[in-house]
Amino acid sequence: VDDKTINTAKQAIHQDMGKNGINPKKEQITNCPSLCTDPRITNLCNNSLFGRVYMNQLFGKNEYVPFGQIALRFPGFSCVEDSLSPAPWWSQTWHIDGLSNPLDPHPGVIKNFTALVGVFLGDVNGDFNGNFTVYKGSHHIMEKYFQTHGIEKAKLEGAKALPSLKLPKPTQLSVKAGDMVIAHYLLCHTIAPNAGENIRYATFFRINFDENTGILPFQNMWHSWPGMKHIVEQEKSKVTINSNVFHGNASYGYASSKQPSQRELTKEETINLEQQKALEKTLFDSRKFEKCYPILKQILPHYRNDMELKIHFSFVCLCTPHGKYLEEGINLVENEIKLTPTFPQWYSILAQLYYRKKEHHSVWSTIDTMFDQPAQTKFMLDQIVNGLKVARMSMSIIKAEAAWDPILHKALQKYPSLKHQLEAVKKDYDIPWLRYLTYVEKVAKYFGPK
């Protein structure tokens, strides 16, 4: 979209904010509602190359779009309260539009449409700046789901009908001012936390050629996209559609035809998974970690967005005798840190895994990296102190006392309110259960596992 149209829209938003104010908590879906039908906003879509040319090429017809959602996401959006630290559960907020939900309740009706078109009024560079975030290939998973289950449950229960679906990892989109994103209605998406310094400016338009078509567009995703017909046929001739893209190296919903096809879980299999999940929680709470391991290996592929299960798995790898699963735990936690780099518990767990593996320099560098992240709020502070204790334990083992002052200085700069607890770690840094595990392994080395 050209600069003049972008600047005109942004000017209108600023003018409205100055006149009417803004309440980010109240306006959780749409900001500046009085502007939603204003031509300065709707022209972003209608007067663009998409509105004049590509809409007809994709859908076989043009439509004047009368309404645009103004979506401003301020610093702190989807972050831990009173901080700029992305909430660790943010990636689990995926959805498709039009389903009944607490912010827009309308049970019994699905307000579906054909395509979501986003126009960005400012640059969004790098992750965690309020990025529009997509789950690549998820439109194929959704189509498969509705082919199998129909739409009645989604009609009645809304967004709650979809929580157990297995999705690919989220992809945060970096964009420039004037960029447009065209997303299929069935593509699962969310908004990443805004831990940056700028407001994320975006407008969204719903293109709808699917009124009064019932279940058809849910079970045949390209029903209203005649311009995609030849592309879809081309792609299908090369590959077979994989209904579970998470479990292979598939991308965009397609898998190599040489791979075994994935099938939808039956109702009985789903019930069994839930039972196994409940059993694992009971065993974990009873500290029967070795019994948790095979259950977690079985169910984790079906609950890839379940933070609690991933934390359980990392602790199981940490606490199982003889360190036989340490490498698996390290791999999982390192991957989670890439996805959620501001969650202190992952750094604390990773440091403990490295400690058990006797990679003490890695312990030190892990905690040093933790203090490079934005400061956390109160309920995370025990993890901060715990991580520093692990680093202090490692330093004492490798006699790297000189490294203590720089890391303590960095910690105090980030958390001045924790001065007493952090300085106390210099003398009181024992974590008894972690020391005990290490001691047991030393004994076992000489006297055998029993």
Side-chain angles (χ1 to χ4, degrees):
V1 179
D2 66 85
D3 290 346
K4 184 179 178 182
T5 307
I6 291 292
N7 292 335
T8 299
K10 206 166 180 180
Q11 182 186 52
I13 291 170
H14 289 163
Q15 188 178 13
D16 186 87
M17 289 166 64
K19 180 181 178 182
N20 301 316
I22 196 159
N23 186 338
K25 289 187 177 180
K26 185 178 178 181
E27 299 172 4
Q28 293 185 53
I29 298 177
T30 301
N31 304 104
C32 307
S34 63
L35 284 180
C36 289
T37 58
D38 191 298
R40 290 172 293 180
I41 300 301
T42 56
N43 282 348
L44 291 164
C45 181
N46 293 319
N47 286 1
S48 69
L49 196 60
F50 168 79
R52 291 182 282 109
V53 179
Y54 293 140
M55 189 187 295
N56 187 61
Q57 290 184 357
L58 283 171
F59 310 116
K61 46 190 164 182
N62 282 69
E63 176 189 74
Y64 176 81
V65 180
F67 182 94
Q69 173 198 356
I70 298 167
L72 311 181
R73 296 298 176 256
F74 291 79
F77 170 81
S78 200
C79 289
V80 176
E81 191 173 357
D82 299 324
S83 80
L84 288 177
S85 301
W89 51 86
W90 75 270
S91 63
Q92 299 174 43
T93 60
W94 62 266
H95 61 281
I96 60 171
D97 292 347
L99 298 182
S100 181
N101 64 76
L103 294 177
D104 183 21
H106 47 84
V109 178
I110 299 179
K111 299 177 181 178
N112 62 299
F113 47 89
T114 308
L116 179 66
V117 174
V119 178
F120 295 87
L121 310 183
D123 295 354
V124 182
N125 297 316
D127 289 349
F128 297 112
N129 283 290
N131 311 59
F132 183 68
T133 299
V134 299
Y135 297 75
K136 291 182 180 180
S138 58
H139 49 316
H140 294 274
I141 299 174
M142 295 301 298
E143 180 187 50
K144 181 70 175 176
Y145 173 84
F146 287 119
Q147 286 172 348
T148 306
H149 299 281
I151 61 173
E152 290 308 312
K153 187 177 181 183
K155 266 187 180 181
L156 294 173
E157 299 181 18
K160 291 189 295 184
L162 308 175
S164 62
L165 289 177
K166 301 170 287 293
L167 296 181
K169 293 177 183 177
T171 298
Q172 299 185 41
L173 303 186
S174 291
V175 294
K176 296 293 184 186
D179 280 355
M180 176 182 282
V181 172
I182 305 168
H184 194 284
Y185 169 73
L186 291 179
L187 183 71
C188 299
H189 59 276
T190 189
I191 306 166
N194 189 351
E197 56 193 29
N198 298 313
I199 301 170
R200 194 289 311 266
Y201 287 85
T203 54
F204 290 96
F205 305 89
R206 275 77 179 169
I207 311 301
N208 192 3
F209 296 116
D210 280 315
E211 284 184 306
N212 305 316
T213 52
I215 198 172
L216 189 58
F218 293 91
Q219 297 185 333
N220 176 7
M221 74 169 95
W222 301 117
H223 165 70
S224 298
W225 296 66
M228 286 293 294
K229 185 177 180 181
H230 69 288
I231 297 173
V232 173
E233 287 174 352
Q234 249 180 3
E235 292 299 312
K236 282 185 175 179
S237 69
K238 299 176 191 173
V239 292
T240 56
I241 288 183
N242 179 354
S243 65
N244 188 346
V245 298
F246 201 98
H247 292 301
N249 295 319
S251 76
Y252 299 98
Y254 293 100
S256 165
S257 56
K258 294 179 182 179
Q259 290 183 326
S261 61
Q262 300 283 349
R263 61 178 180 80
E264 191 77 21
L265 293 176
T266 65
K267 184 177 180 180
E268 290 75 18
E269 287 171 326
T270 302
I271 292 171
N272 180 58
L273 275 175
E274 291 294 330
Q275 290 171 343
Q276 290 293 304
K277 186 179 178 184
L279 173 61
E280 187 278 331
K281 188 177 189 315
T282 301
L283 291 170
F284 186 87
D285 291 343
S286 304
R287 300 296 185 261
K288 296 176 180 177
F289 296 125
E290 280 209 88
K291 291 185 178 180
C292 291
Y293 178 80
I295 298 173
L296 285 165
K297 289 288 282 186
Q298 178 191 351
I299 67 176
L300 257 179
H302 302 282
Y303 295 100
R304 290 298 178 110
N305 289 327
D306 193 311
M307 178 72 75
E308 184 181 32
L309 279 184
K310 287 187 281 193
I311 290 174
H312 281 199
F313 185 76
S314 61
F315 267 106
V316 165
C317 294
L318 174 64
C319 299
T320 302
H322 319 302
K324 53 188 173 182
Y325 305 131
L326 287 176
E327 202 60 48
E328 285 186 75
I330 288 170
N331 289 340
L332 179 139
V333 176
E334 285 182 339
N335 187 56
E336 289 305 313
I337 286 174
K338 289 177 184 175
L339 293 172
T340 318
T342 57
F343 190 42
Q345 189 162 4
W346 288 134
Y347 293 93
S348 179
I349 295 170
L350 183 61
Q352 292 170 66
L353 286 161
Y354 280 134
Y355 181 90
R356 283 210 63 200
K357 205 178 174 193
K358 300 180 178 61
E359 294 185 8
H360 296 293
H361 287 287
S362 296
V363 172
W364 176 19
S365 64
T366 296
I367 299 307
D368 188 59
T369 304
M370 179 177 76
F371 288 118
D372 288 332
Q373 308 308 314
Q376 303 297 312
T377 49
K378 292 178 182 177
F379 79 95
M380 293 284 187
L381 297 184
D382 59 329
Q383 300 297 333
I384 301 293
V385 176
N386 203 48
L388 193 62
K389 283 185 175 183
V390 184
R392 186 74 181 90
M393 288 170 71
S394 283
M395 287 176 189
S396 68
I397 289 172
I398 62 175
K399 304 190 185 308
E401 302 294 333
W404 171 251
D405 287 338
I407 201 168
L408 177 63
H409 178 70
K410 185 184 279 191
L412 289 171
Q413 278 192 317
K414 191 71 68 173
Y415 298 98
S417 62
L418 282 180
K419 186 174 187 293
H420 176 72
Q421 296 99 308
L422 293 173
E423 287 181 338
V425 172
K426 183 171 184 177
K427 293 181 179 179
D428 179 18
Y429 54 83
D430 192 27
I431 301 178
W433 69 267
L434 185 60
R435 175 171 46 79
Y436 174 74
L437 276 172
T438 309
Y439 173 74
V440 166
E441 287 177 352
K442 285 181 179 178
V443 173
K445 183 176 179 181
Y446 293 101
F447 295 101
K450 286 190 178 180

